């Protein structure tokens, strides 16, 4: 944070620290500083920046893969969070890395890299998948859109161009980093369909099933420019993501904001997004699991099953994907770890805090990402809780935790370390099913506000 | 599972493996894409009536025990040892120097140009031989971890092999021609100039395999280097190996992680329980096995192999022996290094680094007819001029670069042997691109991957393992110059492959 703040203060005209495409003193023409695995010295701006920056009252920004992004527009994220659950929120998620994979071997490459079966992914569908290294250790998770028979778009949190190149050597396929060519807006919440419908033309939102994609035009009239809509998101709610050429990004923003006026649409920052995704029980790379690329030591690496993504591994698929052998062995012996939901006992929390004469200082806080140990009741450590927060909707103190396989069954009683003032205490917690919150509208066919919960 | 062993490639290494395995009673089929055997050490009629060596013409490093075991003498191989090891002719600005296998003879000659160098020579040869002898046992078998100790307890050896060659040589010698001669012997196929770290290694390698107690002599086969391939093929055939030329392998077939055989370009399928590939690592893994069957990190390892330091060969049919200044006839029998000083080689390496032709190419010349007149029609001499340190991916391409290089080589030859232009009757050229197209030598690399410490010893794959890990396909063995101990006409990679396979 400090670093980012210091840099934002620097004059944009200063060339001294520039290392951007075409800037003097560095950068291969047309190459992105992010692509080299380095953070650019000046924050990059998403194609929505001119819109988001004027709305960001709190002036609270965060670095996301080199881009400067709004943490929260208002001083606290609460209203933005409630917009996700009760109306709709507009979230700029452009910093995702995006790769276009095109050519006769495009499906073959994806089937080689990904744990999901892409021979079963029809054009117009999106698949959520994991990908692993040779040892079956998770590299990343992300969405893959099948735009045409021989054209896919992969979106991922971390760069992976080189990995695609290594896996696709000698295949007839073209992999292109199009991260900077495309802006992405997530429109999430029960009103999302109505807003999306009003803001675009040519897309039949009623016919779009969960994880479908469709192409249309921006704005109620013609000529607004192309947009691709996917019924996806990271909030566990009804929602859509809009993929647009960077030049048309502001037009898309304006159309959605216009259409959202009567629906209580709010722009939402990353803190609200983080709260929503935790309620949805969705894991986050670098927070809930460490990519095998970044794991300094062996024990930090996890398999998809250990990160709660076992459902993305298709060992019955035809293609021989990277990590398959290791994952077959894991299937036979069972994963060592499991990603679970935790619900911390509220009365216990109140008791611990009352010892220092306070109420539990967890309500109204953004999700906490400081990993803390999880113990067998009164016993040894069995894992760690990587995200936890008080759900304003469910009125529960919830966590995502990685625990030993034997401690993973729902109902298992565990202890979790909590900070009580300056003290470190153990509170009782119970393993519960994820997602914590899963409204029918998320996946409903022809979703209608008020009808699908 | 078939117990047949298929060997891909009929270069000398493939042939050694075939002959050794057949001798041990194995069912062997060797498949060579080209019409002739020998690979980069084949002899071809590139000029009508002449026997021109396409690549190596020096059998000095070839393992003697293998020759004896395979009775190559009985199968028609006749060796001729050249009286001279290496020579640098005189120019207007520099003196001639000749290195002979015999120390005293070299000292006598050096005395004419530098008393200091003459005095230092015996100690140099002794020390080189000592260090080479320490290295030699590591070169004829797969390395074990314990071998690392041998190197680690010999700090001087380690220093020599990791230092810039020129720096080590300058500790003893001052005469530029002498320094150039030694650099010229060591540096072909490294892609590195004498000021680069790690260039001590190729000289040690050369001496370790070429001569135990003296400077490695040049040894030729009567009839050209191809005579070695013919003798190996005859020995292999006598033991029952089937040797097929014109057989292009298009795929090594893999079934459930094990080799099942090979498929030829014409569709024929040959079953086998084991395949020894002597093609380059790049060809073997990326083309014949296919990247999609391999783990990405293994593919990356294959892609990371460096193949710099390509060469071109110009063969000239001459009306008589050229007059290299300051060299008598016996001095013309070894390597003739056309570089006045180490910097001439350094500058060629510099140019190659930037994908350019050297302004003044340095040339390794040989006059094989000075030892074996049968190679050319009566009255003719054959001069083989090899230009080293060339870029494979030449800026502007070889279509225009080839003729330009030829012009520069002609000018250089004229400078070193005035009047040579008037002797030339016919010529033939092999460019780096020809070596790749004709022999599958990736990027034209003579040694299937440059010979520097970062790609040698433990860092070069061996018959069944690479970087401490078994090869990714069961039943696949490597036996070409790309694996330990490396390139050159040694027969060792092929021998190690055969021995490893027999041990299982
Ligand atoms: C110009 C030049 C000068 C050299 N000078 C020297 C020297 O002075 N001293 C020295 O020791 N070494 C020298 N060398 C290097 C030496 O010749 C080689 O390192 C050595 O010959 C390599 O032998 P090999 O059997 O491992 O491989 P190769 O000789 O390359 O044999 C591989 C064979 O495999 C065949 N092949 C490839 N792919 C297929 C396929 N798919 N199907 C069927 N067959 C296939 C190729 O046609 C080739 O015949 C020189 C090389 C060149 C080019």
């Amino acid at each position: 944070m400090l670093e980012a703040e210091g840099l934002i203060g620097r004059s944009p005209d200063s060339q001294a620290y520039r290392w951007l495409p075409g800037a003097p003193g560095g950068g291969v023409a047309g190459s992105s500083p992010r692509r080299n695995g380095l953070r650019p010295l000046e924050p990059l701006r998403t194609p929505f920046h001119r819109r988001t920056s004027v709305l960001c009252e709190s002036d609270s920004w965060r670095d996301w893969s080199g881009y400067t992004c709004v943490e929260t527009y208002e001083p606290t994220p609460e209203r933005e969070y409630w917009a996700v659950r009760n109306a709709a929120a507009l979230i700029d998620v452009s910093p995702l890395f995006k790769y276009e994979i095109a050519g006769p071997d495009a499906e073959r490459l994806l089937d080689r890299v990904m744990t999901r079966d892409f021979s079963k992914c029809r054009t117009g569908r999106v698949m959520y998948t994991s990908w692993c290294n040779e040892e079956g250790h998770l590299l990343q998770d992300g969405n893959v859109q099948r735009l045409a028979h021989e054209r896919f778009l992969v979106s991922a949190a971390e760069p992976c161009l080189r990995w695609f190149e290594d896996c696709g050597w000698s295949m007839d396929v073209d992999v292109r980093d199009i991260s900077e060519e495309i802006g992405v807006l997530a429109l999430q919440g029960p009103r999302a369909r109505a807003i999306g419908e009003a803001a675009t033309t040519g897309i039949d939102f009623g016919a779009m099933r969960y994880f479908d994609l469709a192409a249309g035009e921006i704005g109620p009239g013609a000529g607004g420019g192309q947009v691709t809509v996917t019924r996806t998101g990271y909030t566990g709610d009804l929602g859509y993501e809009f993929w647009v050429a960077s030049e048309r990004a502001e037009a898309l923003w304006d159309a959605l904001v216009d259409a959202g006026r009567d629906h209580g649409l709010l722009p939402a920052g990353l803190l609200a997004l983080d709260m929503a995704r935790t309620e949805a029980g969705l894991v986050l790379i670098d927070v809930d699991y460490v990519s095998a690329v970044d794991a300094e030591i062996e024990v930090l690496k996890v398999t998809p099953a250990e990160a709660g993504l076992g459902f993305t591994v298709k060992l019955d698929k035809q293609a021989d994907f990277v990590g398959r052998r290791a994952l077959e062995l894991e299937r036979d012996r069972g994963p060592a770890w499991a990603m679970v939901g935790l619900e911390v006992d509220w009365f216990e929390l109140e008791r611990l805090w009352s010892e220092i004469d306070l109420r539990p200082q967890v309500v109204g806080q953004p999700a906490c990402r400081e990993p803390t140990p999880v113990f067998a009741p009164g016993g040894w450590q069995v894992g760690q809780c990587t995200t936890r927060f008080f759900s304003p909707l469910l009125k529960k103190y919830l966590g995502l935790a990685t625990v030993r396989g034997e401690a993973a069954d729902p109902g298992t009683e565990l202890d979790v370390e909590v900070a009580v003032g300056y003290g470190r205490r153990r509170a009782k917690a119970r393993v519960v099913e994820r997602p914590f919150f899963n409204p029918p509208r998320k996946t409903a066919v022809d979703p209608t506000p008020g009808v699908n919960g | 599972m078939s117990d047949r062993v298929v060997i891909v490639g009929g270069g000398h290494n493939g042939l050694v493996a075939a002959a050794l395995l057949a001798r041990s009673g194995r069912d062997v089929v060797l498949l060579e894409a080209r019409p002739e055997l020998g690979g980069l050490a084949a002899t071809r009629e590139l000029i009508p009536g002449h026997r021109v060596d396409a690549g190596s013409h020096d059998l000095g490093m070839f393992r003697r025990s293998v020759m004896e075991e395979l009775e190559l003498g009985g199968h028609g191989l006749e060796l001729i040892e050249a009286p001279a090891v290496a020579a640098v002719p005189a120019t207007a600005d520099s003196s001639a120097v000749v290195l002979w296998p015999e120390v005293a003879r070299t000292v006598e000659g050096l005395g004419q140009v530098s008393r200091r160098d003459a005095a230092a020579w015996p100690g140099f040869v002794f020390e080189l031989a000592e260090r080479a002898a320490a290295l030699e046992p590591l070169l004829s078998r797969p390395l074990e971890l314990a071998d690392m100790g041998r190197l680690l307890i010999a700090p001087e050896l380690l220093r020599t092999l990791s230092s810039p060659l020129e720096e080590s040589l300058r500790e003893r010698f001052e005469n530029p021609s002498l320094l150039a001669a030694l650099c010229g012997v060591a540096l072909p196929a490294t892609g590195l100039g004498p000021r680069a770290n790690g260039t001590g290694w190729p000289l040690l390698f050369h001496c370790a395999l070429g001569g135990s107690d003296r400077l490695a002599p040049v040894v030729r086969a009567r009839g050209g280097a191809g005579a070695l391939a013919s003798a190996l093929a005859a020995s292999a055939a006598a033991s029952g190996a089937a040797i097929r030329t014109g057989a292009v392998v298009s795929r090594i077939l893999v079934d459930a992680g094990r080799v099942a055989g090979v498929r030829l370009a014409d569709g024929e399928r040959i079953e086998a329980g084991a395949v020894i590939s002597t093609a380059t690592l790049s060809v073997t893994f990326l083309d014949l096995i296919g990247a999609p069957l391999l783990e990405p990190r293994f593919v990356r390892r294959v892609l990371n192999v460096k193949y710099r330091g390509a060469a071109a060969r110009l063969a000239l049919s001459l009306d008589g022996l050229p007059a290299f200044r300051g060299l008598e006839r016996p001095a013309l029998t070894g390597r003739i290094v056309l570089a006045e000083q180490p910097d001439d080689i350094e500058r060629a390496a510099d140019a190659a680094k930037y994908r350019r032709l050297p302004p003044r190419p340095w040339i390794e010349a040989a006059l094989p007819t000075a030892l074996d007149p049968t190679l050319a029609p009566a009255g003719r001499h054959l001069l083989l001029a090899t230009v080293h340190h060339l870029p494979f991916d030449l800026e502007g391409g070889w279509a225009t670069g080839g003729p330009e290089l030829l012009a520069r080589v002609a000018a250089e030859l004229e400078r070193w042997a005035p009047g040579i232009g008037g002797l030339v009757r016919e010529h033939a050229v092999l460019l780096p691109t020809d070596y790749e197209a004709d022999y599958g030598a990736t990027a034209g690399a003579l040694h299937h991957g440059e010979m520097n410490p970062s790609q040698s010893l433990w860092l070069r794959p061996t018959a069944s393992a690479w970087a401490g890990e078994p090869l990714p396909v069961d039943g696949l063995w490597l036996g070409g110059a790309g694996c330990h101990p490396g390139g050159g006409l040694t027969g060792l990679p092929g021998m190690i492959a055969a021995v490893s396979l027999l041990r299982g």
Side-chain angles (χ1 to χ4, degrees), chain A residues 108 112 134-135 162 166 169, chain B residues 286 292 294 297 300 303:
Chain A
R108 182 162 167 239
R112 168 134 176 79
E134 298 86 344
E135 280 86 30
R162 164 94 162 209
D166 286 0
W169 189 258
Chain B
L286 302 182
L294 300 165
R297 71 169 160 203
R300 180 50 60 187
L303 292 173

Side-chain angles (χ1 to χ4, degrees), chain A residues 135-197:
Chain A
E135 280 86 30
H137 286 137
L138 188 55
L139 291 170
Q140 280 202 64
D141 61 298
N143 276 341
V144 181
Q145 307 171 16
R146 187 160 206 164
L147 297 164
H149 186 61
E150 295 187 351
R151 198 155 67 87
F152 296 82
L153 189 152
V154 176
S155 53
E158 297 287 327
C160 45
L161 184 62
R162 164 94 162 209
W163 186 246
F164 285 126
E165 279 174 3
D166 286 0
C167 294
W169 189 258
S170 81
M171 288 188 197
D172 190 0
V173 59
D174 203 33
V175 183
R176 220 158 56 82
D177 183 346
I178 53 168
S179 302
E180 274 149 78
E181 296 168 24
I182 290 184
V184 192
L185 282 180
L187 175 67
Q188 305 280 302
R191 296 280 176 165
R193 173 186 170 179
I195 298 169
E197 240 160 15

Side-chain angles (χ1 to χ4, degrees), chain A residues 248-267:
Chain A
R248 299 303 300 155
E250 291 177 354
L252 173 68
W253 176 278
D254 295 342
L256 287 168
V257 167
D258 269 354
R261 215 152 259 145
D262 298 335
H263 295 277
L265 176 71
L266 280 187

Side-chain angles (χ1 to χ4, degrees), chain A residues 74-378:
Chain A
E74 298 180 0
T76 73
E78 280 215 276
R79 255 168 45 89
E80 294 162 27
Y81 159 82
W82 283 113
V84 173
R85 293 296 178 225
N86 288 340
L90 197 55
I91 310 159
D92 178 4
V93 292
S94 304
L96 286 170
F97 287 84
K98 293 154 234 117
Y99 302 98
E100 182 190 63
I101 300 196
D105 282 339
E107 179 186 302
R108 182 162 167 239
L109 173 58
L110 286 164
D111 254 340
R112 168 134 176 79
V113 174
M114 305 296 184
T115 55
R116 282 293 277 272
D117 187 349
F118 280 85
S119 69
K120 299 213 170 109
C121 181
R122 281 174 290 110
T123 300
R125 288 290 290 167
V126 184
M127 257 191 188
Y128 173 66
T129 182
S130 308
W131 54 104
C132 296
N133 69 7
E134 298 86 344
E135 280 86 30
H137 286 137
L138 188 55
L139 291 170
Q140 280 202 64
D141 61 298
N143 276 341
V144 181
Q145 307 171 16
R146 187 160 206 164
L147 297 164
H149 186 61
E150 295 187 351
R151 198 155 67 87
F152 296 82
L153 189 152
V154 176
S155 53
E158 297 287 327
C160 45
L161 184 62
R162 164 94 162 209
W163 186 246
F164 285 126
E165 279 174 3
D166 286 0
C167 294
W169 189 258
S170 81
M171 288 188 197
D172 190 0
V173 59
D174 203 33
V175 183
R176 220 158 56 82
D177 183 346
I178 53 168
S179 302
E180 274 149 78
E181 296 168 24
I182 290 184
V184 192
L185 282 180
L187 175 67
Q188 305 280 302
R191 296 280 176 165
R193 173 186 170 179
I195 298 169
E197 240 160 15
T200 59
T201 354
I203 296 173
D204 183 352
F205 280 80
M208 273 184 90
R209 288 169 312 132
Y210 195 42
F211 276 79
D212 267 354
L213 77 80
E217 295 229 6
I218 301 166
Q226 279 266 315
V227 62
T228 302
V229 179
T230 55
R231 189 167 162 192
T232 50
Y234 198 49
T235 61
D237 217 300
L238 172 64
Y240 303 87
E241 288 171 309
F242 293 72
W243 309 73
V244 68
S246 299
E247 312 83 71
R248 299 303 300 155
E250 291 177 354
L252 173 68
W253 176 278
D254 295 342
L256 287 168
V257 167
D258 269 354
R261 215 152 259 145
D262 298 335
H263 295 277
L265 176 71
L266 280 187
L270 299 180
L271 292 181
L273 179 65
D274 203 28
M275 292 162 79
R277 74 94 191 168
T278 309
E279 267 173 1
L282 299 170
V283 296
L284 179 55
I285 188 169
D286 275 349
V287 174
D288 300 307
Y289 76 87
V290 179
S291 167
V293 174
D294 297 320
E296 289 102 347
I297 50 170
E298 212 52 32
V299 295
L300 291 180
K301 299 176 180 172
V302 292
T303 62
E306 291 171 335
L309 304 176
F311 67 94
T312 63
V313 177
K314 302 296 176 195
L315 291 174
D316 58 351
K317 84 180 204 186
Q318 274 269 300
D320 186 18
F321 59 92
V322 180
R324 178 178 198 130
R325 257 178 300 277
L327 295 176
E328 280 167 353
L329 289 177
E330 185 195 45
R331 172 194 54 193
D332 299 342
R333 97 178 160 242
W337 298 91
M339 177 69 63
V340 298
L342 286 185
E343 183 184 330
V344 183
D345 187 295
W346 185 254
F347 296 109
E348 176 98 347
L349 267 190
E350 283 196 329
R351 187 179 59 75
L352 291 172
W353 282 90
S354 70
E355 287 176 12
I356 56 166
D357 297 330
L358 287 172
R359 283 176 296 132
Q361 303 291 302
V362 296
V363 181
Q365 301 287 327
C368 171
R369 297 172 164 192
E370 193 113 318
T372 53
V374 175
F375 305 94

